[in-house]
Amino acid sequence: MSDNKPIICITMGDAAGVGPEIIVKALADSELYQNSNPLVIGDAKVLERANKIVKGELKVNAISSVEEAGFSYGTIDCIDLDLIPESLEIGKVSPEAGHAAFKYLEKAIDLANNKKIDAICTAPLNKEALHKGGHIYPGHTEILADLTGTEDFAMMLTAPNLRVIHVTTHMGLIDAINKIEPERVHKVIHLADETLKRAGIENPRIAVCGINPHAGENGLFGYGEEEEKIIPAIEKAEKEGINVTGPYPADTLFFRAGRGDFDIVVAMYHDQGHGPIKVLGLESGVNITVGLPIIRTSVDHGTAFDIAGTGIADEASLKEAYRQAVELSPRKRIN
């Protein structure tokens, strides 16, 4: 093991979904070992089953601590929590799998807090299974925020030629509009600016979406939400020297951002931001939680129960999420 390679922890997600399969397929690529040390937190026997499903040739090394990992290509080092029963049915919602997915993430956060790993890359979990397993969270992002004591955070999605950061995420549309306030919009603009500057963009061009069609068109649509909730935040951020403009109509803004007019779009609610990213391709989308004390990236797709167990799930999104975790990692990397 080389000390200046970051250790990237991959959490297995829901064991009944495609997570184990895409992990095994991704770690069959030697490129992931060139600049980093991959480490899985999950169940070793589930990874072994997934390896058979995808007809892989990797070995699984069941370990109990980071120090036991060999980080050698051809062997998957797995901190084995041994939570999944042999009888678990692939492709079905399971309380056991939901509880295990939570525990994998909890273990990863503990390792990150203790500086044992450098970043977390998450395979998908299932929200229904998570709830049935006794953990009432909307998803990964909220678990991470809760377990790290983080109040100001946001979900950023990336795809080829497009980055989107969200003011609100997992809530109904009426609730989301009620939650959009100038203070929150201003904080998300700041998170976007800070994140892209850390990524090497000196003066990020930030564009902000409106809420209503045509961004309200001067009060023609809606009840003045843009003037009340968004414009004060933009004006405040501009005075602070941030390169931000808007609010823009969402129906044209994503096209403009995709062609290169802006570096990132601030979306007001879940589907406003997720839709354009997913049109560009589920296989290439990456979810990054910003504002946390821990680096966390994720695939931008779900557990895909309909194809789990078939071995056909595409690992491209996981590999891209992993690469971005390496890029954001605080340790010096080997080029």
Side-chain angles (χ1 to χ4, degrees):
M1 170 182 167
S2 175
D3 288 338
N4 60 356
K5 282 188 183 182
I7 298 174
I8 310 298
C9 178
I10 305 173
T11 56
M12 201 174 73
D14 193 298
V18 297
E21 295 168 50
I22 61 174
I23 289 172
V24 170
K25 292 172 81 170
L27 293 180
D29 185 347
S30 61
E31 178 194 338
L32 271 61
Y33 285 79
Q34 292 175 10
N35 298 329
S36 64
N37 291 314
L39 175 70
V40 178
I41 295 181
D43 270 52
K45 61 180 176 293
V46 175
L47 289 177
E48 289 169 351
R49 180 175 67 180
N51 197 36
K52 292 177 182 176
I53 289 170
V54 304
K55 298 180 172 56
E57 299 180 355
L58 302 180
K59 297 178 181 178
V60 178
N61 178 31
I63 58 178
S64 59
S65 68
V66 177
E67 289 75 16
E68 295 176 52
F71 301 124
S72 175
Y73 173 66
T75 299
I76 299 174
D77 292 304
C78 174
I79 293 183
D80 185 14
L81 299 192
D82 194 22
L83 296 171
I84 299 299
E86 296 282 354
S87 59
L88 182 76
E89 188 174 356
I90 297 176
K92 301 291 184 182
V93 172
S94 159
E96 293 85 0
H99 172 66
F102 176 85
K103 298 303 286 185
Y104 303 150
L105 186 58
E106 183 181 53
K107 177 66 173 178
I109 292 169
D110 179 64
L111 291 176
N113 284 337
N114 286 288
K115 310 299 182 186
K116 298 285 188 179
I117 62 172
D118 299 290
I120 300 171
C121 179
T122 58
L125 55 71
N126 180 276
K127 294 178 181 63
E128 183 181 355
L130 182 70
H131 291 183
K132 288 186 173 181
H135 306 286
I136 312 303
Y137 293 91
H140 271 119
T141 302
E142 293 78 9
I143 297 172
L144 283 150
D146 187 27
L147 296 186
T148 59
T150 304
E151 293 184 6
D152 293 320
F153 61 93
M155 177 187 293
M156 185 171 85
L157 303 180
T158 68
N161 304 318
L162 184 63
R163 301 181 189 91
V164 181
I165 191 168
H166 294 71
V167 173
T168 66
T169 49
H170 295 115
M171 60 183 69
L173 186 54
I174 293 173
D175 293 332
I177 292 171
N178 288 332
K179 286 284 187 182
I180 298 167
E181 295 293 346
E183 184 179 353
R184 172 62 181 168
V185 176
H186 178 258
K187 181 61 184 178
V188 173
I189 291 169
H190 259 276
L191 288 172
D193 188 61
E194 293 165 4
T195 300
L196 295 194
K197 282 178 176 174
R198 283 200 303 270
I201 300 174
E202 290 185 8
N203 186 32
R205 298 164 298 165
I206 302 168
V208 181
C209 275
I211 297 172
N212 296 296
H214 302 284
E217 202 160 304
N218 298 315
L220 184 61
F221 302 108
Y223 298 93
E225 288 87 357
E226 280 75 17
E227 289 76 11
E228 175 191 348
K229 296 172 175 286
I230 301 175
I231 291 175
I234 294 173
E235 290 177 344
K236 182 178 180 181
E238 283 182 308
K239 290 176 182 176
E240 294 166 343
I242 294 176
N243 184 5
V244 58
T245 53
Y248 295 107
D251 59 356
T252 54
L253 175 54
F254 288 100
F255 168 77
R256 293 183 61 193
R259 76 181 181 187
D261 292 4
F262 305 104
D263 296 304
I264 192 166
V265 172
V266 177
M268 291 296 119
Y269 52 88
H270 184 281
D271 285 9
Q272 186 181 63
H274 278 61
I277 289 286
K278 295 192 176 184
V279 165
L280 293 174
L282 286 172
E283 72 284 352
S284 57
V286 175
N287 181 329
I288 302 170
T289 308
V290 299
L292 297 173
I294 295 169
I295 301 299
R296 180 261 175 161
T297 68
S298 178
V299 296
D300 189 35
H301 61 73
T303 47
F305 282 161
D306 56 326
I307 61 169
T310 66
I312 66 172
D314 193 329
E315 73 276 18
S317 181
L318 180 64
K319 288 169 68 173
E320 184 58 30
Y322 185 93
R323 291 187 190 105
Q324 293 207 28
V326 174
E327 288 300 312
L328 293 168
S329 173
R331 286 195 186 181
K332 182 180 177 182
R333 299 181 299 278
I334 294 177
N335 295 316

